Amino acid sequence: MVAALMKAPAWRRSRFWALRIVRWGGGLLAGLLLLVLLVLALPAGREFVLTRLLDRVGGQLPGQLTIDSVKWPDPGSIRLRGIAWTAPDSVATADTLLTMDQLGLDGALGDLARRRLGIRRVTVQARQLDVPGIMQLFPAAAPDTTAAGPAR
């Protein structure tokens, strides 16, 4: 086949290689999509993804966030157990800002297709919540005084 291809005109040879590249690229893309769907279809895969996401969220919060158990049994429900959020050492408030035995979220995945996050039910079993300490970590934004008033 390669010998016959070498005798073909240049446009036919370039078309042959272009189609071959498109086929390989499409196959790789379909395989990658199938792998992502398979990971999200299994509870262990969903929990792995959720754990990585919560690690990133915990890295963005001041202080330390620890979660004992992460469960994502169904695509529409998430269960977290043993949540503790402690303040950074530089803050002069109580050490523990939040302690929860359980946090459960039940949502509608169909809303994600419309770029909405729809939560139908939130279940919280909190033991401690230090609202003044949390507000001290996230000061309110100062009003913008540089904006001009309404035009008259």
Side-chain angles (χ1 to χ4, degrees):
M1 180 165 154
V2 175
L5 184 63
M6 295 312 243
K7 293 178 184 176
W11 66 270
R12 187 171 285 172
R13 284 192 306 257
S14 61
R15 183 174 170 217
F16 170 79
W17 288 109
L19 287 174
R20 187 174 242 190
I21 290 170
V22 168
R23 267 190 245 137
W24 273 96
L28 287 174
L29 186 61
L32 183 63
L33 182 63
L34 183 63
L35 180 66
V36 167
L37 290 175
L38 183 64
V39 165
L40 292 178
L42 300 172
R46 288 192 301 264
E47 290 169 11
F48 176 79
V49 170
L50 182 60
T51 301
R52 296 297 161 255
L53 180 66
L54 290 172
D55 288 343
R56 293 193 68 172
V57 168
Q60 297 297 317
L61 289 174
Q64 183 177 1
L65 178 69
T66 57
I67 301 171
D68 293 338
S69 172
V70 175
K71 299 289 182 197
W72 195 354
D74 301 318
S77 67
I78 295 173
R79 303 283 177 258
L80 307 175
R81 293 186 186 275
I83 304 166
W85 181 21
T86 56
D89 294 334
S90 62
V91 179
T93 63
D95 183 42
T96 303
L97 299 170
L98 171 72
T99 306
M100 279 190 203
D101 291 330
Q102 177 179 330
L103 172 65
L105 300 172
D106 293 320
L109 289 181
D111 289 346
L112 292 177
R114 293 183 295 277
R115 294 185 179 183
R116 294 182 184 160
L117 181 61
I119 304 293
R120 287 182 278 147
R121 182 175 47 193
V122 177
T123 306
V124 177
Q125 291 179 353
R127 284 190 275 156
Q128 177 184 358
L129 179 62
D130 183 9
V131 175
I134 293 172
M135 296 205 42
Q136 184 180 0
L137 289 175
F138 300 104
D144 186 11
T145 58
T146 60
R152 293 181 189 217

